[in-house]
Amino acid sequence: MDGLLITAGVVDTGQCDVVADHLSADGIDPATFGPGAGAVDVGDLTTTLDAFDLDGDGIVDSRVVSTDGSDSDGAAIVVVSDFDRDGVADRVTTVESDGDFAGWECHRDEQGVLVWDRTDSGTL
C-alpha cells in the first residue's frame, strides 16, 4: 500500500473502500442509483448461496441480490462485484423488471470523493 487517507468516516487505501455510511447491496434502487450513491457493501461472499466468481480467477468476488426498487413493477436484480476484496463493490450492474439495465464502476475524483460512472446501459 502506497498511502492511507483517513478523513471523517472514511478510510481510503486507494481503492473504492469506505468504512462508514455504505449502502447495502440489497438496498440498491436502480431508479436512484447514480454517481453520488456512495460505497456499496457486497456482504459476506463466503456464506451466501448467491455468490460466484465473475472474473474467473478462482476467488468468489460477486453476488446477485433482488431488490424491491421504486418503479411500478418493483423488482430488480443487482449484481455487485468486489474484485479487490475490500468488502465494498467495485462494480454494480442492475437489471430492472422491464429489461432496462445499467452497469456502473466506481473511482475517486480529484477531491477523493467516491463516484460511480455508468459504463453500460440499455434494454434486454
Side-chain angles (χ1 to χ4, degrees), residues 42-52 59-63:
V42 296
D44 185 358
L45 295 174
T46 62
T47 61
T48 59
L49 298 175
D50 57 3
F52 57 97
I59 300 171
V60 174
D61 52 40
S62 303
R63 65 186 289 234

Side-chain angles (χ1 to χ4, degrees), residues 67-85:
T67 67
D68 289 335
S70 67
D71 59 294
S72 60
D73 293 331
I77 300 296
V78 178
V79 179
V80 291
S81 300
D82 178 17
F83 298 118
D84 61 6
R85 298 171 197 75

Side-chain angles (χ1 to χ4, degrees), residues 53-111:
D53 175 18
L54 188 64
D55 63 6
D57 65 357
I59 300 171
V60 174
D61 52 40
S62 303
R63 65 186 289 234
V64 178
V65 296
S66 179
T67 67
D68 289 335
S70 67
D71 59 294
S72 60
D73 293 331
I77 300 296
V78 178
V79 179
V80 291
S81 300
D82 178 17
F83 298 118
D84 61 6
R85 298 171 197 75
D86 65 358
V88 179
D90 307 308
R91 186 178 301 159
V92 170
T93 303
T94 61
V95 181
E96 298 178 68
S97 59
D98 63 1
D100 287 347
F101 72 90
W104 299 85
E105 290 185 5
C106 71
H107 74 279
R108 298 274 178 188
D109 68 9
E110 298 81 27
Q111 289 77 37

